[in-house]
Amino acid sequence: TASTSARASVLQPQADIWANPPSVRLGVRTYIFWNSHDVGSCVEAGPNFSHNTLSGGASTVPLSDASTFTIECKTTDGQTVRDTVRVNLSL
């Protein structure tokens, strides 16, 4: 029945990464935040930026160019989930 299949649904492995603010002036830092669920381990990476936690946040170095930051997580059964955020430079 439909109600049985609805109860059987489970959360899918997920990784999310975002920046606040998403756009900064040349030489200004931004903050990167990330979160994940139903995964075993994660690596967050970007220019001069490296972390290995399931969730958190950190300041970047002062940015000199538009930059992409990624989160890549592995599930306990070997699946990979990832997300990216691009931080742009504003005038």
Side-chain angles (χ1 to χ4, degrees):
T1 66
S3 62
T4 303
S5 62
R7 275 181 282 157
S9 68
V10 295
L11 291 175
Q12 294 295 311
Q14 187 171 340
D16 296 299
I17 192 167
W18 65 96
N20 187 17
S23 182
V24 295
R25 292 194 317 270
L26 177 69
V28 175
R29 297 171 190 263
T30 189
Y31 291 88
I32 304 297
F33 300 94
W34 59 93
N35 200 355
S36 64
H37 65 79
D38 203 25
V39 298
S41 64
C42 294
V43 174
E44 298 80 32
N48 295 307
F49 191 87
S50 179
H51 295 273
N52 297 301
T53 60
L54 298 180
S55 64
S59 173
T60 66
V61 297
L63 297 179
S64 59
D65 205 349
S67 303
T68 299
F69 296 86
T70 63
I71 181 173
E72 185 170 299
C73 303
K74 298 267 191 224
T75 65
T76 54
D77 63 359
Q79 291 180 354
T80 299
V81 290
R82 65 180 282 148
D83 191 25
T84 62
V85 63
R86 184 157 176 86
V87 178
N88 293 305
L89 293 185
S90 59
L91 298 176

